[in-house]
Amino acid sequence: MAESFGVRSGQATRLWKYWLPVTMMLGLMYYLSTDLFSGANTLHCMDLVLHLLHRHPQGNGVSDANHLMRKAAHMLEYAMLVTLLFRAFRADSPLKWKVNWAVYSLLLSISWAFVDELVHQAHTRSRSGSIWDVVLDAGGALGALLVLAMLDRRVARCKAHSAS
């Protein structure tokens, strides 16, 4: 009986350690896709910051910067999500990389992008869902997985080199 409790306790620990950060990231992403973080609101915040810094760009500079910042945030959010998902699938495995973990992580990230853009934001008053943002989100997720794969290969080469 004590053994089964230990197994359950270990599973619960893994759930908290690996899947709670994923859940928290999904919650943060949901919050960031509300009216509060619409393009108009982030543009207003950017204007305020520039005003406080006594900077007054000419033309569409602030609007263009706001647009770029928002698109970069899309990619960063999904890079973080796919990394957390990969970490959760990997859990306590001694292996560092498995294609299955990467595929599952990417598929879940893209699924969340579809739900967020085409279900949540499409029904938010000051936002709109965009398939192009889903593509951007998928690009951020795929980019992070490529970085993880390259890091894994580099570490493997260093270990092989130092062993020889």
Side-chain angles (χ1 to χ4, degrees):
M1 181 142 157
E3 290 175 16
S4 67
F5 179 75
V7 169
R8 285 189 201 133
S9 176
Q11 289 171 342
T13 301
R14 279 194 300 277
L15 276 173
W16 283 103
K17 183 177 179 182
Y18 297 110
W19 288 99
L20 181 62
V22 171
T23 306
M24 291 173 66
M25 185 66 194
L26 292 172
L28 175 64
M29 293 168 81
Y30 185 85
Y31 177 67
L32 292 173
S33 66
T34 62
D35 286 326
L36 186 61
F37 291 93
S38 68
N41 287 342
T42 57
L43 180 61
H44 178 69
C45 289
M46 190 175 274
D47 276 335
L48 286 174
V49 169
L50 290 172
H51 181 72
L52 289 171
L53 296 173
H54 302 291
R55 302 280 185 240
H56 307 287
Q58 301 298 319
N60 293 335
V62 177
S63 181
D64 291 345
N66 183 54
H67 180 76
L68 288 173
M69 178 188 69
R70 294 176 60 76
K71 298 310 173 188
H74 268 272
M75 294 186 78
L76 180 61
E77 281 179 313
Y78 281 85
M80 292 170 61
L81 176 62
V82 81
T83 302
L84 288 171
L85 283 164
F86 186 86
R87 177 182 174 266
F89 283 119
R90 181 177 169 259
D92 295 327
S93 174
L95 296 174
K96 299 293 182 202
W97 180 266
K98 264 179 93 172
V99 172
N100 288 354
W101 299 335
V103 170
Y104 299 152
S105 301
L106 185 62
L107 289 176
L108 281 173
S109 295
I110 293 171
S111 297
W112 181 256
F114 271 107
V115 168
D116 184 48
E117 286 292 329
L118 304 177
V119 176
H120 179 231
Q121 288 186 41
H123 294 93
T124 303
R125 189 171 21 96
S126 64
R127 307 286 301 254
S128 62
S130 167
I131 192 69
W132 296 113
D133 281 346
V134 173
V135 171
L136 192 64
D137 299 339
L142 184 59
L145 286 174
L146 291 173
V147 168
L148 288 174
M150 287 188 300
L151 289 173
D152 178 63
R153 290 185 83 181
R154 177 179 255 176
V155 167
R157 274 187 281 171
C158 287
K159 283 183 181 178
H161 182 62
S162 65
S164 59

